Amino acid sequence: RERPLDGNLAVELRVAVVGNVDSGKSTLVGVLTRGQLDNGRGLARGHCFRHKHEVDNGRTSSVSQQVLGFCAEGQVTNYSAVRPHTQEEVLKASSKLVTFVDLCGHERYLKTTVFGLTGAVPDFGAIILGANMGVQRMTREHLGLLLALRLPFFVVVTKIDLAPENVRAETVDKMCSLLKGASVRKMPYLIKDATGCLSCARQLAEGARLVPVFQVSNVTGEGLDLLRLFLNALPARREWVGLRDEKAEFCIDDAFQVPGVGVVVAGTLLRGRISITNGQGPTLLLGPDTTGCFKRVQIKGIHTKSVAVDEVRAGQSASFAVKVVAPGGSKEDRTLRKNHIRKGQVLVDPDLRPRAARGFAAEVFVLHHPTTIKKGYQPVVHARTVRQVAAVQDMNVELLRSGTRARVRFRFQHYPEYLTVGTPIIFREGNTRGIGVIKRVIHDADELKPMKKKLADPAAAETPAAVVTPLGA
């Protein structure tokens, strides 16, 4: 396997685990990271749950992250014959770290799944489906989200010990037919040996249309060795190395109040690097709040993968203990509480001079909508960790339908957010799904002119555009 790209740091990659409810996502992650096979009654999945109600009903309702480490020889560093290794021991012994972002499968928690896919910035996706259940509607939904975000992905068919041979073959055939279809246009490849496994890992990272398909059992352990070999061989994204010399930008996806420490914010470092020297970290801007203002805060401590470290770099998930730096301000200005932090806020370098904005213009593509979209339409917009209702103020076409591309101007309905040009977005409302890219950030002081309408193509009007993803199918 390739050596780390940046000094002595371990190679890191993030895999978003999606699939229909009860397909075995958390069980597979638990078996891979603990090295202990499942008992068929939920033993392994208990390691991935964060809340009591998840343990009671066996369904994930939050975003959970688990780490699988590999040493330079390709052996898994999580496993031990005596006792489970601590996170610190895994990090020290590993030359490669695979972070599994375990997401929800139930339709009720779709917004949490979309939040995890956009906010956790995964490198690859893993679609899990049960061999005894077949391709369900949420399987198609999650496949469409991965295609919309242009994430390379692979498929894992679980519970092969439970399904009869004819049912398993039918499930694999249906999944392969879906991947080959005109709406997806991928090439499924059934993994049967180590040679094919290594070849697929290299081609998947290079952007090939290939989709590896694994068949595993979490109870008997069949097929798990090939899946571990594949994860060990997957290369990391090289884009992160170039982003580590830029100014720091950290998106927040959670906040905690830790006794004796204070407020702790967790998320992903998108750019730059943040380090602690002599117990003191840099001063950054935290915000925007509901009024669009930023607070100056100082980093007191850094944790990554539950281990205290002195530095984190772009592409790593981390948590920071922060305190307010407001000399001469009022007591309220010098106070920072957990309820002051919300998902979607950022920590940025003061040199970037961040400004909050209520509006933005984006190039969008409507994946599925039952009727037509007009001005005033209000979907929920996801952009990184930002998740808020935004109204359509203007667009360069009269109406938007399924399969239509257009330039659209949105405005947040509740409070301003920090956005950057080039950020991918997903918008949803009921059965409606759409994707896009932010082209312009609009501040309140900016002068806006009505958008010029695109001339309609008579030929296109006669033949409606085809939907290019399986969403809504």
Side-chain angles (χ1 to χ4, degrees):
R1 178 165 43 74
E2 64 178 345
R3 300 299 302 166
L5 299 171
D6 195 357
N8 296 320
L9 289 181
V11 175
E12 287 198 33
L13 61 89
R14 305 155 74 82
V15 178
V17 183
V18 296
N20 189 52
V21 64
D22 298 331
S23 59
K25 298 183 296 298
S26 299
T27 300
L28 177 63
V29 172
V31 168
L32 287 174
T33 56
R34 295 284 169 167
Q36 181 180 5
L37 294 176
D38 189 45
N39 62 356
R41 296 186 296 276
L43 172 68
R45 70 187 180 197
H47 300 300
C48 302
F49 291 152
R50 298 177 59 188
H51 305 291
K52 183 180 181 298
H53 69 266
E54 294 179 328
V55 178
D56 293 339
N57 61 23
R59 290 179 177 174
T60 304
S61 63
S62 60
V63 180
S64 168
Q65 296 192 14
Q66 306 293 326
V67 179
L68 177 65
F70 294 94
C71 66
E73 290 74 31
Q75 302 299 317
V76 178
T77 57
N78 298 54
Y79 306 160
S80 171
V82 181
R83 59 167 177 80
H85 285 160
T86 65
Q87 290 275 46
E88 189 170 1
E89 291 172 337
V90 171
L91 259 65
K92 285 183 177 178
S94 300
S95 64
K96 178 174 184 176
L97 296 170
V98 179
T99 301
F100 293 105
V101 184
D102 187 20
L103 300 173
C104 321
H106 200 282
E107 185 177 6
R108 181 189 306 172
Y109 307 120
L110 178 62
K111 66 177 184 181
T112 305
T113 301
V114 177
F115 176 78
L117 283 172
T118 56
V121 201
D123 301 314
F124 299 94
I127 299 179
I128 315 298
L129 70 157
N132 61 333
M133 299 168 64
V135 179
Q136 303 291 320
R137 192 171 73 83
M138 290 308 295
T139 308
R140 298 172 182 268
E141 187 85 27
H142 293 157
L143 171 60
L145 290 172
L146 293 177
L147 291 170
L149 294 170
R150 298 182 179 180
L151 281 179
F153 61 91
F154 55 94
V155 175
V156 182
V157 180
T158 60
K159 305 183 182 180
I160 61 173
D161 59 303
L162 194 61
E165 186 61 35
N166 64 318
V167 175
R168 177 173 74 166
E170 184 181 354
T171 298
V172 173
D173 288 343
K174 282 186 176 179
M175 190 66 200
C176 291
S177 298
L178 177 63
L179 294 171
K180 291 176 183 176
S183 58
V184 182
R185 296 174 185 172
K186 297 286 187 180
M187 292 190 302
Y189 182 86
L190 297 179
I191 301 295
K192 297 179 180 178
D193 53 31
T195 305
C197 189
L198 295 173
S199 175
C200 285
R202 184 182 68 255
Q203 294 185 51
L204 186 66
E206 293 172 353
R209 291 168 49 212
L210 206 64
V211 176
V213 179
F214 295 87
Q215 300 181 58
V216 304
S217 169
N218 295 315
V219 175
T220 65
E222 182 183 349
L224 290 176
D225 288 340
L226 288 176
L227 183 56
R228 292 191 193 97
L229 176 63
F230 175 78
L231 292 169
N232 182 36
L234 264 183
R237 283 175 56 183
R238 296 181 180 272
E239 302 93 273
W240 291 122
V241 177
L243 294 172
R244 289 172 181 170
D245 295 327
E246 299 184 11
K247 301 292 184 182
E249 180 183 338
F250 177 82
C251 63
I252 296 172
D253 58 33
D254 215 340
F256 312 93
Q257 188 81 39
V258 180
V261 176
V263 174
V264 174
V265 296
T268 306
L269 189 60
L270 301 178
R271 290 181 177 83
R273 60 185 77 202
I274 297 177
S275 57
I276 289 184
T277 306
N278 298 326
Q280 297 294 323
T283 299
L284 304 173
L285 295 179
L286 170 66
D289 57 18
T290 53
T291 63
C293 298
F294 289 79
K295 282 187 175 181
R296 297 182 70 87
V297 298
Q298 186 176 21
I299 306 297
K300 298 191 298 180
I302 304 175
H303 276 65
T304 181
K305 311 288 190 300
S306 304
V307 177
V309 295
D310 291 329
E311 183 182 60
V312 289
R313 307 185 183 191
Q316 292 182 288
S317 56
S319 55
F320 300 129
V322 295
K323 65 177 181 180
V324 175
V325 180
S330 64
K331 184 177 180 181
E332 183 63 26
D333 292 336
R334 297 194 304 269
T335 304
L336 184 65
R337 300 187 183 92
K338 179 189 171 184
N339 59 7
H340 294 163
I341 313 292
R342 59 178 172 82
K343 296 176 181 179
Q345 289 185 328
V346 293
L347 282 170
V348 294
D349 194 296
D351 293 341
L352 293 176
R353 297 184 180 180
R355 295 173 63 193
R358 274 189 175 271
F360 64 94
E363 291 281 352
V364 302
F365 178 72
V366 181
L367 300 170
H368 178 72
H369 186 69
T371 55
T372 57
I373 295 175
K374 305 176 183 178
K375 289 182 185 178
Y377 179 68
Q378 296 187 1
V380 177
V381 174
H382 294 258
R384 295 278 189 247
T385 54
V386 172
R387 181 176 60 187
Q388 190 182 155
V389 175
V392 174
Q393 281 196 317
D394 200 0
M395 49 189 180
N396 65 352
V397 293
E398 291 294 338
L399 298 171
L400 274 173
R401 297 183 177 88
S402 295
T404 308
R405 296 182 185 273
R407 182 84 171 238
V408 179
R409 191 181 292 158
F410 291 93
R411 183 172 176 84
F412 289 123
Q413 297 298 287
H414 300 298
Y415 33 75
E417 303 281 7
Y418 175 76
L419 300 171
T420 55
V421 174
T423 300
I425 66 169
I426 292 178
F427 59 91
R428 59 177 181 83
E429 186 266 333
N431 291 327
T432 302
R433 301 288 182 272
I435 59 174
V437 177
I438 295 177
K439 296 296 184 180
R440 179 189 175 190
V441 179
I442 302 171
H443 301 93
D444 291 339
D446 294 347
E447 182 181 350
L448 296 178
K449 297 179 181 179
M451 301 183 81
K452 293 182 179 179
K453 302 299 181 184
K454 254 192 329 188
L455 295 177
D457 184 2
E462 294 175 5
T463 307
V467 181
V468 296
T469 74
L471 284 175

